[in-house]
Amino acid sequence: MPEIKGVYSHGGSLSNIEAISLRMGPIRPYVHINETQIQKRLNTNVYELFQLLAAVTITIVIRLYCIEFPNKVLLEEIPIVSAINSYLTGRFFLDINPPFVPLLFSALSRSLGYGVFTFEELSINSEYDSFPYQHLRVLNAIVGGLAVIYIYKILKISAVNHYYALFGVFLFALENSMITQSRFMFTDSFYILFVAIFVCHHKLMSLKTKFSASWFFNLLICTTALGLAISTHWSGLFLIVYAFLSSTITFWIASGDIDVSMNYLRIASLIKDFAYLTIPFTIYLYFFNLHLSHLDSRGESYNLLSPAYQHSLKETHLDGLIADVSYGSTVMIRHFKSGEYLHSHNDFYRTSKHQQVTLFDNFDDFNNFFKIYPVKGNSDRIMNDAMKIFVPHKVKIKHVATDSFLVADSDFKPPLSEQEYNSEVTTQKVFSEMEEDTSEFQLKISTKYTKDEKARVSLRAIESVFQIYNKRSDCYLLGTPLLLTEGFAESQHELICIKEPEYEASLWYIDWNKHDKYSIDSGLVDFPELGFWDKFVEIHFKVFKKLFVGDIGYNNGSSVSFTDWLFLRKGYVHFLDTEAHSAVYLLGNYITYHLVILVIFIYSVFKAYQLMTTNPYQHCTTVDVSVYIYDHQMLDLILGYTLTLLLRKFVKIDLQLFDYLPILFFGILCVPQTFQLGHSKAPKFTFFLTIISCLLVFLAFKKYSPLIYGLQWSYERCMKMMVGPGWDSGVCKVYYPF
């Protein structure tokens, strides 16, 4: 038997047990892993359990300190508060995060009596009254503290001894940004707990005898945690990618052991992959079914839905919608791509002094009403007789509230899209003979999106999808993602007329249709009946577009500067109170963040050296167990770190520091794993580094604690603690004594 340098036991000393050994096969040496012997490193005595329990208690207490402050709604709490109110009232809403945590919080709120007699419609920085904010924050803080149990277990499974595993717990417990996010009604604590449970049992499975009762038990816990993770946060999508890649690497490493049958490994791998795919997805579907079954009325995200989905809800504006659109009809014209409405109001562009015409996301506004007129002929008779509009046909579109006609004016450019080929869209009440045809528009049916032959021949509500073309200016009405900042149009999207439009952005349809001659017998729009899968697919398509395409179908998300995360150059303002001179500012522990970068750099150098010095034609005669464990455990952790980090480059929403925390979770695990290797090579030096690191982490936590808890601080001390040029130094102004 070749020389074995040893394997770490739970106490940190070397053991002669052949848990990992190098054996000689018929052609080459191979590494054999004794699963039964490796499980012994998980043994924990009473003294160690007591220390772990003390660490968990301290972690929770740190998070519960001053939990009642502030008694005001934070910006990032608004989605949770709004979701709870929506679940309890049945009002539809749409969020990029899956519904597990809001469902849990709403159930807890209901059990505490909230919503029985009254609801609080809360806005940013408004004070809580009847809403049970303290109970929900306490639950979140406890969940955030419980994660350290699984961090300890993960490190023990990864052959880190008890004291270095506690070092990992210490780093997590005093990580400022983790503490801050666990003290409010956010989803991060739940997500990180589920990730920790998943990683723990995912790793534990590799130490269990395959197909044993304990192997199947860990598979069940692992996949359940994965299901809860993907049901909690949009980052769960990336966690699934990590799960399958990690399983593939585990299979590849295990297949190198010729003592193990390949069929045995293949069957175990197939069962595991099948469970990873089906059980989490089943859990995900279950919570989405609960989500959709609770939301059956019109709510804040009503306008984001398709007409068919809107019609399936209660209190819809589409009930009794007449299909045929005629001259004299009062209509709302909806943008096909964004779902927003053609809108105008009695305010003017600064440059042209013409009336503003925009896209508006609220359907329930009288400024969305337009009336359709014929261009020529006896308009009074045509308007009163409700004559159908056959397409393509020229029409005039009159804004009802301001009694003015829609025009495309090529003499002026839009306020934001000022290219030469763009024309301003506005309205005018009076035209000269030369100008009148600027108000003439032709409705060009889209054969691609208008499926029904009847809707291609004559204009019909919902069913006819068309372009609005102005011949005089030779341009098409098009909605842009650009937000206006002037007058009453602030935060409304710009509308332009362009010669060569992006096709889908130039499409429209009639969303609401009314005429004095219409009656219930005039023929209603026939909406399809939507089932669970129809609603599920539509919601996920919209969330996917927002995450990976951009808002309303355009790429308008800001790119993420990873260096700002990695080196902690930017934080995030959660709360400012200039009167009380206090702030809650999300900022991580400076030492922990840089320790993570340091150990990842060390592993990169180690791996590069290993690749450069390995001779593929020379057989190994020994295996350094500590290096072998370090190599494979770090590879798995860094896979989780880099994968979940780099995949965020594909996300188009604006990301903040709290989006880095699930990634930081993997990074923190890398630190004690590296220190464990250092302990095997230079125990005294590594022990000294560990003590210094703990001291620095504690000092950083203490120095920045006023930003966690909203404690009193001074302007001078705040400015001295700036971690970099990216930190919003304006936060420190809140500590002025006057």
Side-chain angles (χ1 to χ4, degrees):
M1 182 68 63
E3 177 187 357
I4 307 298
K5 291 189 176 180
V7 61
Y8 288 105
S9 68
H10 67 273
S13 60
L14 294 175
S15 169
N16 293 323
I17 299 173
E18 295 182 2
I20 299 177
S21 58
L22 190 68
R23 298 184 179 182
M24 189 63 201
I27 300 177
R28 60 172 178 80
Y30 65 94
V31 174
H32 174 71
I33 299 176
N34 189 321
E35 296 171 344
T36 303
Q37 295 297 340
I38 277 191
Q39 289 185 60
K40 291 186 177 181
R41 68 180 178 222
L42 300 177
N43 295 337
T44 306
N45 59 41
V46 175
Y47 178 66
E48 292 170 345
L49 284 174
F50 176 78
Q51 289 180 321
L52 176 60
L53 180 61
V56 173
T57 304
I58 292 170
T59 304
I60 294 176
V61 169
I62 289 172
R63 282 152 174 77
L64 289 176
Y65 179 68
C66 287
I67 196 71
E68 71 282 355
F69 179 85
N71 180 26
K72 292 183 178 180
V73 184
L74 276 58
L75 173 63
E76 298 302 323
E77 285 185 317
I78 286 292
I80 291 292
V81 174
S82 178
I84 292 171
N85 285 341
S86 295
Y87 282 128
L88 297 180
T89 58
R91 297 175 300 181
F92 183 86
F93 73 95
L94 186 63
D95 190 11
I96 59 171
N97 283 324
F100 171 71
V101 172
L103 281 169
L104 178 64
F105 280 172
S106 65
L108 179 59
S109 300
R110 173 66 80 177
S111 68
L112 293 170
Y114 175 69
V116 176
F117 301 109
T118 183
F119 288 95
E120 282 192 87
E121 295 293 342
L122 299 167
S123 58
I124 301 170
N125 286 339
S126 62
E127 293 189 1
Y128 294 102
D129 184 14
S130 61
F131 190 87
Y133 77 98
Q134 271 193 266
H135 299 83
L136 301 185
R137 286 180 178 177
V138 167
L139 173 63
N140 210 29
I142 293 173
V143 166
L146 292 177
V148 300
I149 298 174
Y150 292 93
I151 288 174
Y152 176 84
K153 289 186 66 176
I154 291 168
L155 292 170
K156 290 279 287 187
I157 294 165
S158 304
V160 175
N161 70 30
H162 169 72
Y163 293 105
Y164 285 104
L166 286 181
F167 174 50
V169 168
F170 177 82
L171 294 178
F172 184 86
L174 297 187
E175 209 300 295
N176 298 44
S177 54
M178 294 282 188
I179 298 171
T180 303
Q181 288 303 107
S182 64
R183 289 171 43 78
F184 301 102
M185 291 177 287
F186 304 145
T187 60
D188 303 274
S189 290
F190 282 88
Y191 181 65
I192 290 171
L193 174 64
F194 297 145
V195 173
I197 296 173
F198 162 72
V199 173
C200 175
H201 290 275
H202 172 73
K203 287 180 171 292
L204 194 57
M205 283 175 60
S206 64
L207 306 184
K208 301 295 182 180
T209 303
K210 293 173 178 59
F211 309 117
S212 65
S214 60
W215 186 82
F216 279 109
F217 173 77
N218 281 281
L219 178 60
L220 178 62
I221 299 298
C222 176
T223 50
T224 301
L226 182 58
L228 292 173
I230 66 174
S231 300
T232 298
H233 200 277
W234 59 265
S235 297
L237 177 65
F238 302 154
L239 186 65
I240 290 180
V241 178
Y242 160 74
F244 280 97
L245 285 180
S246 178
S247 294
T248 302
I249 292 174
T250 301
F251 173 81
W252 178 75
I253 294 172
S255 64
D257 190 341
I258 64 174
D259 286 352
V260 181
S261 166
M262 282 300 295
N263 286 333
Y264 174 77
L265 290 176
R266 287 194 191 99
I267 295 172
S269 181
L270 285 173
I271 292 174
K272 183 166 70 171
D273 289 346
F274 179 76
Y276 275 18
L277 187 64
T278 56
I279 296 178
F281 189 57
T282 301
I283 294 171
Y284 187 77
L285 286 176
Y286 171 75
F287 286 116
F288 253 98
N289 187 46
L290 282 180
H291 170 78
L292 296 178
S293 64
H294 278 79
L295 307 177
D296 58 357
S297 301
R298 196 171 72 193
E300 62 183 44
S301 301
Y302 177 73
N303 188 64
L304 299 176
L305 301 174
S306 68
Y309 201 132
Q310 288 178 331
H311 186 260
S312 70
L313 300 175
K314 299 175 183 176
E315 304 173 6
T316 174
H317 74 294
L318 298 175
D319 284 337
L321 180 61
I322 304 296
D324 286 322
V325 180
S326 67
Y327 293 111
S329 290
T330 301
V331 299
M332 288 196 293
I333 303 174
R334 194 174 185 186
H335 192 227
F336 181 79
K337 190 168 188 176
S338 68
E340 298 185 337
Y341 290 88
L342 185 65
H343 175 91
S344 185
H345 47 257
N346 195 18
D347 197 13
F348 306 96
Y349 293 120
R350 295 194 184 112
T351 303
S352 67
K353 307 304 180 183
H354 292 162
Q355 185 168 309
Q356 295 174 344
V357 178
T358 64
L359 284 179
F360 191 37
D361 61 2
N362 184 5
F363 81 94
D364 194 14
D365 193 302
F366 68 93
N367 282 313
N368 296 342
F369 290 138
F370 290 83
K371 185 171 284 192
I372 301 180
Y373 282 75
V375 171
K376 296 179 181 179
N378 189 337
S379 61
D380 289 339
R381 182 181 64 82
I382 295 174
M383 296 282 285
N384 292 331
D385 291 348
M387 293 180 60
K388 289 184 180 180
I389 301 174
F390 292 93
V391 292
H393 206 290
K394 293 181 180 179
V395 299
K396 289 184 178 181
I397 303 172
K398 188 175 186 179
H399 186 235
V400 174
T402 58
D403 192 30
S404 56
F405 285 94
L406 193 70
V407 299
D409 192 343
S410 58
D411 294 333
F412 290 91
K413 301 305 172 189
L416 301 178
S417 304
E418 297 182 345
Q419 290 86 348
E420 185 64 31
Y421 46 83
N422 292 341
S423 298
E424 181 186 78
V425 180
T426 182
T427 66
Q428 292 183 18
K429 293 184 180 182
V430 181
F431 301 93
S432 67
E433 284 188 23
M434 294 294 293
E435 294 174 331
E436 189 162 355
D437 59 356
T438 61
S439 67
E440 296 178 4
F441 291 92
Q442 189 176 12
L443 307 181
K444 295 185 176 182
I445 286 293
S446 168
T447 55
K448 179 179 179 182
Y449 293 102
T450 303
K451 307 300 182 184
D452 185 80
E453 185 63 31
K454 190 185 297 184
R456 294 195 189 104
V457 175
S458 64
L459 191 62
R460 291 173 65 84
I462 304 297
E463 300 166 5
S464 298
V465 181
F466 52 87
Q467 292 177 299
I468 305 177
Y469 173 70
N470 186 274
K471 186 176 181 180
R472 169 71 180 269
S473 299
D474 187 26
C475 61
Y476 296 83
L477 262 62
L478 178 140
T480 78
L482 302 176
L483 291 175
L484 295 166
T485 58
E486 51 185 67
F488 292 117
E490 185 173 351
S491 298
Q492 296 178 23
H493 287 100
E494 181 191 45
L495 182 72
I496 66 175
C497 200
I498 186 171
K499 291 185 178 181
E500 296 180 359
E502 193 251 314
Y503 186 64
E504 287 190 2
S506 68
L507 295 178
W508 306 82
Y509 60 90
I510 304 296
D511 179 76
W512 190 83
N513 177 32
K514 185 178 181 181
H515 193 285
D516 292 339
K517 293 287 186 180
Y518 289 156
S519 66
I520 197 68
D521 300 324
S522 301
L524 305 181
V525 174
D526 185 20
F527 289 96
E529 291 292 331
L530 298 186
F532 168 76
W533 282 109
D534 298 307
K535 295 179 179 181
F536 179 84
V537 170
E538 178 175 330
I539 288 173
H540 282 76
F541 179 71
K542 293 184 182 301
V543 171
F544 179 85
K545 283 177 63 178
K546 188 170 182 65
L547 282 173
F548 299 107
V549 179
D551 193 25
I552 71 167
Y554 296 85
N555 183 350
N556 67 331
S558 62
S559 60
V560 179
S561 175
F562 288 155
T563 55
D564 288 343
W565 285 355
L566 304 182
F567 297 103
L568 199 59
R569 291 175 181 163
K570 286 186 178 180
Y572 184 80
V573 178
H574 274 313
F575 174 76
L576 291 176
D577 189 337
T578 55
E579 294 181 359
H581 305 296
S582 63
V584 176
Y585 187 76
L586 179 66
L587 195 71
N589 191 297
Y590 193 72
I591 305 302
T592 302
Y593 271 62
H594 285 73
L595 276 176
V596 169
I597 298 303
L598 176 62
V599 298
I600 290 176
F601 174 75
I602 290 172
Y603 181 76
S604 301
V605 172
F606 161 80
K607 205 64 182 173
Y609 175 79
Q610 186 185 61
L611 293 174
M612 288 187 295
T613 57
T614 299
N615 184 350
Y617 302 103
Q618 180 180 359
H619 291 321
C620 296
T621 58
T622 60
V623 57
D624 188 328
V625 176
S626 60
V627 173
Y628 180 87
I629 292 174
Y630 167 77
D631 186 11
H632 290 88
Q633 295 296 339
M634 282 291 289
L635 176 64
D636 185 71
L637 294 175
I638 289 181
L639 173 67
Y641 181 89
T642 56
L643 189 65
T644 51
L645 177 68
L646 295 178
L647 284 176
R648 275 164 169 73
K649 268 294 183 184
F650 296 99
V651 175
K652 302 304 180 184
I653 60 173
D654 294 339
L655 299 177
Q656 304 295 340
L657 183 63
F658 46 75
D659 292 300
Y660 178 62
L661 299 190
I663 306 167
L664 182 66
F665 165 81
F666 285 99
I668 289 176
L669 292 173
C670 292
V671 177
Q673 193 75 57
T674 304
F675 276 58
Q676 177 67 66
L677 176 66
H679 176 78
S680 68
K681 304 301 179 184
K684 291 184 179 179
F685 178 71
T686 304
F687 176 76
F688 174 76
L689 283 181
T690 304
I691 297 300
I692 294 297
S693 297
C694 288
L695 180 62
L696 292 175
V697 166
F698 176 76
L699 288 176
F701 158 73
K702 186 174 183 297
K703 290 290 184 180
Y704 291 108
S705 60
L707 296 177
I708 300 175
Y709 304 110
L711 303 176
Q712 294 297 311
W713 217 13
S714 68
Y715 175 77
E716 293 75 16
R717 291 172 63 191
C718 179
M719 291 298 293
K720 286 180 181 179
M721 295 305 296
M722 286 184 63
V723 297
W727 185 10
D728 183 9
S729 59
V731 173
C732 293
K733 294 179 181 178
V734 79
Y735 299 107
Y736 278 144
F738 48 82

